[in-house]
Amino acid sequence: MYDCAIIGGGIAGLQAAIQLGRYMHRVVVFDAHGGRSVLAKKYSNIIGFENGVSGPSLREIGHKQARTYETVEFVNARVTEARRLSDEYFELRTDDGQAVQAQRVLLSTGLSDRLPEEIEGLHEVLGSAIYLCPDCDGYEVRGRVCAILGAGDVGAALACTLRYWTDQLIYINHEPDENLISASLRSRCEQAGVAIYEGKIQAVHVQDAEHLSAVELADGTRIKAEKGFVAFGGVHVESDLAEMLGVKRLENGHIPVDGRTKETNVPGVWAAGDVTVHSQLLTVAIGDGAQSAIWIHKSLQDDNR
């Protein structure tokens, strides 16, 4: 029996594991190696990393640090089933047939972005020349020619948001047949000086590791750009396990939590990081992980009194 099972080995989950390890609680972390931190090649908005740090590097550091605590274990598997067995504990089952019981559960499962596989070179430059989050990386495109690779209104809205950092904006609607741009957003883009292209994106071409040279459409058109953002919509919040546990979810799948404790509406179940309702920043995920761990510890202490 574990004191706490952490589902998700990203930034929030790792921070929680470190904090709970320092309380000497027996913890198991299930890591399916998903989430945005797996993709990000460079975070430049984190205190202490003035030259930036990649998501995979930060996860490796976190894994190493968490493993220094003898009570923290890692399981490389995806949890596919979750249920409460009694008032005292929960049971989790993984895709490889393991079953684990724990007194507390922390959901730090993050989200998954829709990134079209058919666009050549896209994954290779995510987080270095093409970005996902304007709050994290809008600064990186300041004054640059920036192409937004997206679909319908989602991409058009992001193009307007990025006008804060640069007035050299190009929006390429990758799915013009399936995702039309509404008249209101098209008008906003025009007023903001955003050039709009409609057509399938074939490939992104790079100048160097941190700069694009062009975005190529399926018809051979090459659109010059130095930086880029993606906004295809269809982001999937990884909260299906929450539903199995009776945890309240919003229409978009995000999990509302108590602002102080990070506990969900279900006693014994916490949530932290991008799966919850807040700005999707790595630094926020770190705080979520630490805060949830503190209150998980307090609840375990209360049970022992």
Side-chain angles (χ1 to χ4, degrees):
M1 172 76 70
Y2 291 94
D3 295 328
C4 183
I6 298 174
I7 307 175
I11 304 304
L14 288 170
Q15 184 63 61
I18 290 167
Q19 186 67 33
L20 287 169
R22 295 179 65 81
Y23 288 129
M24 298 175 290
H25 288 301
R26 191 173 179 221
V27 177
V28 59
V29 183
F30 293 96
D31 190 359
H33 303 283
R36 283 185 169 178
S37 59
V38 171
L39 302 173
K41 291 182 174 59
K42 188 177 182 182
Y43 289 106
S44 299
N45 62 334
I46 305 172
I47 188 170
F49 293 95
E50 63 272 19
N51 296 317
V53 61
S54 76
S57 293
L58 203 57
R59 287 173 71 119
E60 183 178 351
I61 292 168
H63 271 262
K64 183 177 179 180
Q65 187 173 350
R67 289 179 189 278
T68 63
Y69 303 102
E70 295 180 356
T71 56
V72 177
E73 300 176 31
F74 283 85
V75 174
N76 291 317
R78 180 180 296 277
V79 176
T80 55
E81 297 179 37
R83 58 176 178 156
R84 182 190 287 276
L85 287 185
S86 72
D87 291 340
E88 304 294 328
Y89 64 96
F90 302 86
E91 182 177 79
L92 310 175
R93 291 185 177 273
T94 65
D95 55 1
D96 60 1
Q98 298 183 65
V100 164
Q101 288 80 42
Q103 295 181 68
R104 304 290 185 271
V105 172
L106 171 61
L107 300 168
S108 54
T109 41
L111 49 79
S112 300
D113 291 277
R114 185 167 75 93
L115 300 168
E117 296 291 336
E118 66 268 20
I119 300 177
E120 298 172 16
L122 176 59
H123 284 267
E124 287 75 10
V125 292
L126 277 175
S128 59
I130 294 180
Y131 309 102
L132 290 160
C133 168
D135 296 310
C136 304
D137 296 309
Y139 179 82
E140 304 301 328
V141 307
R142 66 199 185 284
R144 301 278 190 177
V145 180
C146 178
I148 296 87
L149 288 61
D153 281 355
V154 176
L158 178 59
C160 293
T161 297
L162 292 171
R163 182 63 178 75
Y164 180 84
W165 287 279
T166 181
D167 59 2
Q168 303 177 76
L169 291 160
I170 301 157
Y171 173 41
I172 307 169
N173 185 9
H174 177 63
E175 300 168 345
D177 297 329
E178 300 92 342
N179 290 283
L180 300 176
I181 305 171
S182 65
S184 60
L185 270 169
R186 188 178 290 275
S187 176
R188 280 183 59 195
C189 285
E190 290 172 354
Q191 292 175 20
V194 178
I196 297 177
Y197 289 80
E198 306 259 7
K200 290 287 184 180
I201 301 167
Q202 176 71 31
V204 293
H205 301 282
V206 300
Q207 176 180 324
D208 55 46
E210 296 190 356
H211 298 90
L212 302 177
S213 60
V215 178
E216 182 180 354
L217 303 187
D219 64 5
T221 301
R222 285 202 173 206
I223 303 165
K224 291 184 179 179
E226 299 171 275
K227 291 284 189 177
F229 266 86
V230 291
F232 294 101
V235 173
H236 177 65
V237 181
E238 301 288 351
S239 61
D240 293 346
L241 293 172
E243 184 176 25
M244 295 180 192
L245 292 168
V247 171
K248 179 182 178 181
R249 300 190 296 173
L250 302 183
E251 287 185 5
N252 61 9
H254 285 286
I255 300 171
V257 296
D258 183 276
R260 185 183 184 199
T261 67
K262 310 305 175 186
E263 191 172 13
T264 71
N265 65 296
V266 174
V269 181
W270 276 256
D274 286 349
V275 75
T276 64
V277 185
H278 62 53
S279 298
Q280 289 155 12
L281 293 170
L282 183 145
T283 45
V284 173
I286 291 172
D288 269 8
Q291 189 75 349
S292 60
I294 289 170
W295 286 91
I296 289 169
H297 167 69
K298 288 179 183 291
S299 76
L300 290 166
Q301 289 296 100
D302 289 342
D303 281 0
N304 292 329
R305 288 174 184 166

